[in-house]
Amino acid sequence: MKQTQEFSDRDLDALFDGREVSDERLREVASAFTSMRSVLVGTLSDEHAAQMGAWLAAATPPVDAGAAPPRRAARWRRRFAAIGATATIAVMAVGGSAAANGAAPGDALYGIDRALERVGLLDGGVGERLTEAAHLAAKGENERALVHAAEAYETDAEPELASALLIAADAVRKGDGAGDGNESVADMLEWMATADRGEGFGQQVSAWARGLGVHRADDASPDGSQTQVPAKRPPGVENAPGAGVGVKPGTVGPTDNAGPPDHAGQPGGVGKPDGGDSAVETPDGSTPGDGDPVAPGGNSNSKPDHAGTPGKPDHAGTPGKPDHAGKPGKSGNEP
Amino acid sequence: MVLKDYFDTTLAAARAGAAWAWESIYRDMAGGLAGFFRGRGVNEVEDLVSETFLSVARDIHRFTGSESDFRAWVFTIAHRRLVDDWRARGRSVPIAESEFAETEAERRWFGDVEREAMTAMSLIEVNALIKHLTKQQRDVVLLRVVGDLSVAETAKVLETSEGAVRALQKRAFSDLRSLISQAASRFRDEER
């Protein structure tokens, strides 16, 4: 405790360490230091810290890379490497993320898509998950698609929707052989991805999703609803291959004046009244198979090109036709 | 020094690329780093913090030592980044002008408006104090007070001796004290 000037090193250490100081004369500066600390340091948001954690974990080189040349020699190389990494991230943000953004589960870029979303470079969110789910459904993987969509709502704190979708997924798995679920699942997911999530959205989706399950359970419902529905849907089917009608199910209504506009316009509205009419979607799925002579022709025309690029993300963006691609594909498989 | 007993485990997990480990390291040190850069008048504080952590992540396999060593190492990287930043700009960045400081305080990334409002001194006043110090004193004060480093750790970062750090903190203290007592009326003493 040597006493140069007025204060001991120990006192000053305590002061700079932010410990309690006993000396009255130190307190003014101690108070200034406290202010300095709180003003300059600030606070971190949990979200930001989590994002940075993921980012840094991704930036950590694999363990083997540790056995590297000595520090001095490596310094400049490391500096360039850091610059390179920053540049890579910048480039990824501009170009790569655009490519990765459209990726659906199972695609090569999908991991990158999710990683970038975690870090915050891409948007992510329910909308994108739903689009991905729609791609899956277009490929015929209905169950995975529904589970994928359910996960999206799970993380988005909408457990009712998530459970409705999981029930639907279950139903699809059980009723696997029936074959016509493809279109309705893809339709529903696509509508969910594009529709506004306003009032009643949840109920419509729940009703629709449960409808899938109900229909699966009693496969022999085609009588009443089937006659009613084909009246509405076939025009849509005819329009489909040529014009990109299917983007929003809602647009089907306006294009074909045949059906009651409100009915066709809001698929959710279709699904709402009771469980039975959500079977609305399914009977028309089965129509090309049994009834409608026009549709199979049109579909077989459209089939080859869809078959060429089944899983392409941008494809689904075009006209929502992937769901039709799914259907003919199915009916093609069955014979 | 928040991690203490968990430091070795956390460091090992960070080396293996575990996100939780990096998150806790980041939580532990990002505030201090940002405060250090901010006190030195850096404009893009968050950029430098990210760059510093990126270097840390890339070189983590080369690091060995205690938590104290680790903190000193991270701030050494930060200090070098700061020097590089200055050179890249080709000018010495002054401590924030008061007008800049005001807008800076508003759009602050780490900011917590409520908390700031309640502290005895504003960012402007704090910057005025820091500005008063010499460059070397400033480094010592910021590393010791804001960066929460010990005398030994500060000496490592600044590549000097502990005696030199103590001498600098002593001079910084007496300068600050006379400055504060001159302007005593401006600061309310609510902290202690």
Side-chain angles (χ1 to χ4, degrees), chain B residues 144-160:
Chain B
R144 292 279 284 118
V145 174
V146 179
D148 206 19
L149 298 187
S150 69
V151 170
E153 289 160 2
T154 305
K156 260 187 231 164
V157 172
L158 298 177
E159 294 175 329
T160 183

mmCIF file with all atom_site columns, all heavy atoms in Angstrom, chain B residues 144-160:
data_model
loop_
_atom_site.group_PDB
_atom_site.id
_atom_site.type_symbol
_atom_site.label_atom_id
_atom_site.label_alt_id
_atom_site.label_comp_id
_atom_site.label_asym_id
_atom_site.label_entity_id
_atom_site.label_seq_id
_atom_site.pdbx_PDB_ins_code
_atom_site.Cartn_x
_atom_site.Cartn_y
_atom_site.Cartn_z
_atom_site.occupancy
_atom_site.B_iso_or_equiv
_atom_site.pdbx_formal_charge
_atom_site.auth_seq_id
_atom_site.auth_comp_id
_atom_site.auth_asym_id
_atom_site.auth_atom_id
_atom_site.pdbx_PDB_model_num
ATOM 1   N N   . ARG B 1 144 ? -10.506 -0.803  -18.497 1.00 0.00 ? 144 ARG B N   1
ATOM 2   C CA  . ARG B 1 144 ? -10.684 -1.161  -17.090 1.00 0.00 ? 144 ARG B CA  1
ATOM 3   C C   . ARG B 1 144 ? -12.149 -1.022  -16.669 1.00 0.00 ? 144 ARG B C   1
ATOM 4   O O   . ARG B 1 144 ? -12.721 -1.917  -16.060 1.00 0.00 ? 144 ARG B O   1
ATOM 5   C CB  . ARG B 1 144 ? -9.814  -0.257  -16.196 1.00 0.00 ? 144 ARG B CB  1
ATOM 6   C CG  . ARG B 1 144 ? -8.336  -0.476  -16.332 1.00 0.00 ? 144 ARG B CG  1
ATOM 7   C CD  . ARG B 1 144 ? -7.859  -1.668  -15.521 1.00 0.00 ? 144 ARG B CD  1
ATOM 8   N NE  . ARG B 1 144 ? -7.770  -1.377  -14.098 1.00 0.00 ? 144 ARG B NE  1
ATOM 9   C CZ  . ARG B 1 144 ? -8.477  -1.994  -13.165 1.00 0.00 ? 144 ARG B CZ  1
ATOM 10  N NH1 . ARG B 1 144 ? -9.355  -2.906  -13.502 1.00 0.00 ? 144 ARG B NH1 1
ATOM 11  N NH2 . ARG B 1 144 ? -8.312  -1.691  -11.882 1.00 0.00 ? 144 ARG B NH2 1
ATOM 12  N N   . VAL B 1 145 ? -12.747 0.114   -17.009 1.00 0.00 ? 145 VAL B N   1
ATOM 13  C CA  . VAL B 1 145 ? -14.076 0.428   -16.483 1.00 0.00 ? 145 VAL B CA  1
ATOM 14  C C   . VAL B 1 145 ? -15.179 -0.176  -17.354 1.00 0.00 ? 145 VAL B C   1
ATOM 15  O O   . VAL B 1 145 ? -16.066 -0.857  -16.856 1.00 0.00 ? 145 VAL B O   1
ATOM 16  C CB  . VAL B 1 145 ? -14.268 1.957   -16.378 1.00 0.00 ? 145 VAL B CB  1
ATOM 17  C CG1 . VAL B 1 145 ? -15.694 2.290   -15.968 1.00 0.00 ? 145 VAL B CG1 1
ATOM 18  C CG2 . VAL B 1 145 ? -13.273 2.540   -15.392 1.00 0.00 ? 145 VAL B CG2 1
ATOM 19  N N   . VAL B 1 146 ? -15.099 0.087   -18.646 1.00 0.00 ? 146 VAL B N   1
ATOM 20  C CA  . VAL B 1 146 ? -16.177 -0.353  -19.539 1.00 0.00 ? 146 VAL B CA  1
ATOM 21  C C   . VAL B 1 146 ? -15.959 -1.797  -19.988 1.00 0.00 ? 146 VAL B C   1
ATOM 22  O O   . VAL B 1 146 ? -16.889 -2.594  -20.025 1.00 0.00 ? 146 VAL B O   1
ATOM 23  C CB  . VAL B 1 146 ? -16.275 0.588   -20.760 1.00 0.00 ? 146 VAL B CB  1
ATOM 24  C CG1 . VAL B 1 146 ? -17.355 0.127   -21.703 1.00 0.00 ? 146 VAL B CG1 1
ATOM 25  C CG2 . VAL B 1 146 ? -16.552 2.009   -20.293 1.00 0.00 ? 146 VAL B CG2 1
ATOM 26  N N   . GLY B 1 147 ? -14.713 -2.129  -20.310 1.00 0.00 ? 147 GLY B N   1
ATOM 27  C CA  . GLY B 1 147 ? -14.407 -3.489  -20.761 1.00 0.00 ? 147 GLY B CA  1
ATOM 28  C C   . GLY B 1 147 ? -14.301 -4.476  -19.619 1.00 0.00 ? 147 GLY B C   1
ATOM 29  O O   . GLY B 1 147 ? -14.242 -5.673  -19.842 1.00 0.00 ? 147 GLY B O   1
ATOM 30  N N   . ASP B 1 148 ? -14.240 -3.954  -18.385 1.00 0.00 ? 148 ASP B N   1
ATOM 31  C CA  . ASP B 1 148 ? -14.228 -4.808  -17.202 1.00 0.00 ? 148 ASP B CA  1
ATOM 32  C C   . ASP B 1 148 ? -12.991 -5.701  -17.147 1.00 0.00 ? 148 ASP B C   1
ATOM 33  O O   . ASP B 1 148 ? -13.059 -6.843  -16.701 1.00 0.00 ? 148 ASP B O   1
ATOM 34  C CB  . ASP B 1 148 ? -15.509 -5.663  -17.183 1.00 0.00 ? 148 ASP B CB  1
ATOM 35  C CG  . ASP B 1 148 ? -15.869 -6.055  -15.760 1.00 0.00 ? 148 ASP B CG  1
ATOM 36  O OD1 . ASP B 1 148 ? -15.367 -5.392  -14.833 1.00 0.00 ? 148 ASP B OD1 1
ATOM 37  O OD2 . ASP B 1 148 ? -16.629 -7.026  -15.593 1.00 0.00 ? 148 ASP B OD2 1
ATOM 38  N N   . LEU B 1 149 ? -11.871 -5.197  -17.616 1.00 0.00 ? 149 LEU B N   1
ATOM 39  C CA  . LEU B 1 149 ? -10.626 -5.957  -17.563 1.00 0.00 ? 149 LEU B CA  1
ATOM 40  C C   . LEU B 1 149 ? -9.848  -5.584  -16.303 1.00 0.00 ? 149 LEU B C   1
ATOM 41  O O   . LEU B 1 149 ? -9.957  -4.472  -15.802 1.00 0.00 ? 149 LEU B O   1
ATOM 42  C CB  . LEU B 1 149 ? -9.749  -5.657  -18.790 1.00 0.00 ? 149 LEU B CB  1
ATOM 43  C CG  . LEU B 1 149 ? -10.298 -5.999  -20.172 1.00 0.00 ? 149 LEU B CG  1
ATOM 44  C CD1 . LEU B 1 149 ? -9.215  -5.777  -21.225 1.00 0.00 ? 149 LEU B CD1 1
ATOM 45  C CD2 . LEU B 1 149 ? -10.791 -7.432  -20.238 1.00 0.00 ? 149 LEU B CD2 1
ATOM 46  N N   . SER B 1 150 ? -9.037  -6.544  -15.827 1.00 0.00 ? 150 SER B N   1
ATOM 47  C CA  . SER B 1 150 ? -8.163  -6.264  -14.685 1.00 0.00 ? 150 SER B CA  1
ATOM 48  C C   . SER B 1 150 ? -6.938  -5.487  -15.165 1.00 0.00 ? 150 SER B C   1
ATOM 49  O O   . SER B 1 150 ? -6.741  -5.301  -16.371 1.00 0.00 ? 150 SER B O   1
ATOM 50  C CB  . SER B 1 150 ? -7.719  -7.580  -14.050 1.00 0.00 ? 150 SER B CB  1
ATOM 51  O OG  . SER B 1 150 ? -6.840  -8.240  -14.946 1.00 0.00 ? 150 SER B OG  1
ATOM 52  N N   . VAL B 1 151 ? -6.127  -5.059  -14.196 1.00 0.00 ? 151 VAL B N   1
ATOM 53  C CA  . VAL B 1 151 ? -4.902  -4.345  -14.552 1.00 0.00 ? 151 VAL B CA  1
ATOM 54  C C   . VAL B 1 151 ? -4.016  -5.229  -15.433 1.00 0.00 ? 151 VAL B C   1
ATOM 55  O O   . VAL B 1 151 ? -3.507  -4.786  -16.469 1.00 0.00 ? 151 VAL B O   1
ATOM 56  C CB  . VAL B 1 151 ? -4.141  -3.923  -13.275 1.00 0.00 ? 151 VAL B CB  1
ATOM 57  C CG1 . VAL B 1 151 ? -2.747  -3.412  -13.630 1.00 0.00 ? 151 VAL B CG1 1
ATOM 58  C CG2 . VAL B 1 151 ? -4.913  -2.858  -12.521 1.00 0.00 ? 151 VAL B CG2 1
ATOM 59  N N   . ALA B 1 152 ? -3.880  -6.487  -15.036 1.00 0.00 ? 152 ALA B N   1
ATOM 60  C CA  . ALA B 1 152 ? -3.013  -7.398  -15.800 1.00 0.00 ? 152 ALA B CA  1
ATOM 61  C C   . ALA B 1 152 ? -3.549  -7.602  -17.211 1.00 0.00 ? 152 ALA B C   1
ATOM 62  O O   . ALA B 1 152 ? -2.784  -7.595  -18.187 1.00 0.00 ? 152 ALA B O   1
ATOM 63  C CB  . ALA B 1 152 ? -2.915  -8.738  -15.072 1.00 0.00 ? 152 ALA B CB  1
ATOM 64  N N   . GLU B 1 153 ? -4.844  -7.782  -17.328 1.00 0.00 ? 153 GLU B N   1
ATOM 65  C CA  . GLU B 1 153 ? -5.447  -7.992  -18.649 1.00 0.00 ? 153 GLU B CA  1
ATOM 66  C C   . GLU B 1 153 ? -5.283  -6.746  -19.525 1.00 0.00 ? 153 GLU B C   1
ATOM 67  O O   . GLU B 1 153 ? -4.951  -6.842  -20.713 1.00 0.00 ? 153 GLU B O   1
ATOM 68  C CB  . GLU B 1 153 ? -6.933  -8.330  -18.495 1.00 0.00 ? 153 GLU B CB  1
ATOM 69  C CG  . GLU B 1 153 ? -7.191  -9.713  -17.911 1.00 0.00 ? 153 GLU B CG  1
ATOM 70  C CD  . GLU B 1 153 ? -8.585  -9.865  -17.313 1.00 0.00 ? 153 GLU B CD  1
ATOM 71  O OE1 . GLU B 1 153 ? -9.373  -8.902  -17.379 1.00 0.00 ? 153 GLU B OE1 1
ATOM 72  O OE2 . GLU B 1 153 ? -8.866  -10.936 -16.761 1.00 0.00 ? 153 GLU B OE2 1
ATOM 73  N N   . THR B 1 154 ? -5.493  -5.582  -18.918 1.00 0.00 ? 154 THR B N   1
ATOM 74  C CA  . THR B 1 154 ? -5.323  -4.336  -19.670 1.00 0.00 ? 154 THR B CA  1
ATOM 75  C C   . THR B 1 154 ? -3.887  -4.191  -20.162 1.00 0.00 ? 154 THR B C   1
ATOM 76  O O   . THR B 1 154 ? -3.650  -3.789  -21.304 1.00 0.00 ? 154 THR B O   1
ATOM 77  C CB  . THR B 1 154 ? -5.692  -3.137  -18.772 1.00 0.00 ? 154 THR B CB  1
ATOM 78  O OG1 . THR B 1 154 ? -7.006  -3.333  -18.277 1.00 0.00 ? 154 THR B OG1 1
ATOM 79  C CG2 . THR B 1 154 ? -5.634  -1.838  -19.543 1.00 0.00 ? 154 THR B CG2 1
ATOM 80  N N   . ALA B 1 155 ? -2.938  -4.555  -19.287 1.00 0.00 ? 155 ALA B N   1
ATOM 81  C CA  . ALA B 1 155 ? -1.531  -4.463  -19.680 1.00 0.00 ? 155 ALA B CA  1
ATOM 82  C C   . ALA B 1 155 ? -1.249  -5.361  -20.877 1.00 0.00 ? 155 ALA B C   1
ATOM 83  O O   . ALA B 1 155 ? -0.530  -4.981  -21.804 1.00 0.00 ? 155 ALA B O   1
ATOM 84  C CB  . ALA B 1 155 ? -0.640  -4.847  -18.503 1.00 0.00 ? 155 ALA B CB  1
ATOM 85  N N   . LYS B 1 156 ? -1.850  -6.551  -20.890 1.00 0.00 ? 156 LYS B N   1
ATOM 86  C CA  . LYS B 1 156 ? -1.664  -7.460  -22.020 1.00 0.00 ? 156 LYS B CA  1
ATOM 87  C C   . LYS B 1 156 ? -2.210  -6.854  -23.315 1.00 0.00 ? 156 LYS B C   1
ATOM 88  O O   . LYS B 1 156 ? -1.569  -6.908  -24.359 1.00 0.00 ? 156 LYS B O   1
ATOM 89  C CB  . LYS B 1 156 ? -2.381  -8.775  -21.748 1.00 0.00 ? 156 LYS B CB  1
ATOM 90  C CG  . LYS B 1 156 ? -1.473  -9.880  -21.260 1.00 0.00 ? 156 LYS B CG  1
ATOM 91  C CD  . LYS B 1 156 ? -2.251  -11.175 -21.176 1.00 0.00 ? 156 LYS B CD  1
ATOM 92  C CE  . LYS B 1 156 ? -2.068  -11.811 -19.809 1.00 0.00 ? 156 LYS B CE  1
ATOM 93  N NZ  . LYS B 1 156 ? -3.053  -12.849 -19.523 1.00 0.00 ? 156 LYS B NZ  1
ATOM 94  N N   . VAL B 1 157 ? -3.409  -6.318  -23.217 1.00 0.00 ? 157 VAL B N   1
ATOM 95  C CA  . VAL B 1 157 ? -4.051  -5.768  -24.416 1.00 0.00 ? 157 VAL B CA  1
ATOM 96  C C   . VAL B 1 157 ? -3.223  -4.621  -24.980 1.00 0.00 ? 157 VAL B C   1
ATOM 97  O O   . VAL B 1 157 ? -3.031  -4.523  -26.196 1.00 0.00 ? 157 VAL B O   1
ATOM 98  C CB  . VAL B 1 157 ? -5.482  -5.289  -24.089 1.00 0.00 ? 157 VAL B CB  1
ATOM 99  C CG1 . VAL B 1 157 ? -6.077  -4.543  -25.272 1.00 0.00 ? 157 VAL B CG1 1
ATOM 100 C CG2 . VAL B 1 157 ? -6.355  -6.461  -23.708 1.00 0.00 ? 157 VAL B CG2 1
ATOM 101 N N   . LEU B 1 158 ? -2.739  -3.753  -24.106 1.00 0.00 ? 158 LEU B N   1
ATOM 102 C CA  . LEU B 1 158 ? -2.023  -2.565  -24.568 1.00 0.00 ? 158 LEU B CA  1
ATOM 103 C C   . LEU B 1 158 ? -0.526  -2.837  -24.732 1.00 0.00 ? 158 LEU B C   1
ATOM 104 O O   . LEU B 1 158 ? 0.245   -1.932  -25.023 1.00 0.00 ? 158 LEU B O   1
ATOM 105 C CB  . LEU B 1 158 ? -2.237  -1.413  -23.584 1.00 0.00 ? 158 LEU B CB  1
ATOM 106 C CG  . LEU B 1 158 ? -3.704  -0.979  -23.442 1.00 0.00 ? 158 LEU B CG  1
ATOM 107 C CD1 . LEU B 1 158 ? -3.847  0.112   -22.394 1.00 0.00 ? 158 LEU B CD1 1
ATOM 108 C CD2 . LEU B 1 158 ? -4.259  -0.492  -24.774 1.00 0.00 ? 158 LEU B CD2 1
ATOM 109 N N   . GLU B 1 159 ? -0.130  -4.080  -24.518 1.00 0.00 ? 159 GLU B N   1
ATOM 110 C CA  . GLU B 1 159 ? 1.267   -4.500  -24.654 1.00 0.00 ? 159 GLU B CA  1
ATOM 111 C C   . GLU B 1 159 ? 2.195   -3.605  -23.849 1.00 0.00 ? 159 GLU B C   1
ATOM 112 O O   . GLU B 1 159 ? 3.172   -3.042  -24.360 1.00 0.00 ? 159 GLU B O   1
ATOM 113 C CB  . GLU B 1 159 ? 1.674   -4.522  -26.132 1.00 0.00 ? 159 GLU B CB  1
ATOM 114 C CG  . GLU B 1 159 ? 0.922   -5.584  -26.920 1.00 0.00 ? 159 GLU B CG  1
ATOM 115 C CD  . GLU B 1 159 ? 1.226   -5.551  -28.400 1.00 0.00 ? 159 GLU B CD  1
ATOM 116 O OE1 . GLU B 1 159 ? 1.507   -4.459  -28.923 1.00 0.00 ? 159 GLU B OE1 1
ATOM 117 O OE2 . GLU B 1 159 ? 1.177   -6.616  -29.040 1.00 0.00 ? 159 GLU B OE2 1
ATOM 118 N N   . THR B 1 160 ? 1.853   -3.470  -22.591 1.00 0.00 ? 160 THR B N   1
ATOM 119 C CA  . THR B 1 160 ? 2.676   -2.659  -21.711 1.00 0.00 ? 160 THR B CA  1
ATOM 120 C C   . THR B 1 160 ? 2.739   -3.368  -20.354 1.00 0.00 ? 160 THR B C   1
ATOM 121 O O   . THR B 1 160 ? 2.261   -4.487  -20.226 1.00 0.00 ? 160 THR B O   1
ATOM 122 C CB  . THR B 1 160 ? 2.090   -1.233  -21.589 1.00 0.00 ? 160 THR B CB  1
ATOM 123 O OG1 . THR B 1 160 ? 2.940   -0.460  -20.779 1.00 0.00 ? 160 THR B OG1 1
ATOM 124 C CG2 . THR B 1 160 ? 0.703   -1.252  -20.984 1.00 0.00 ? 160 THR B CG2 1
#
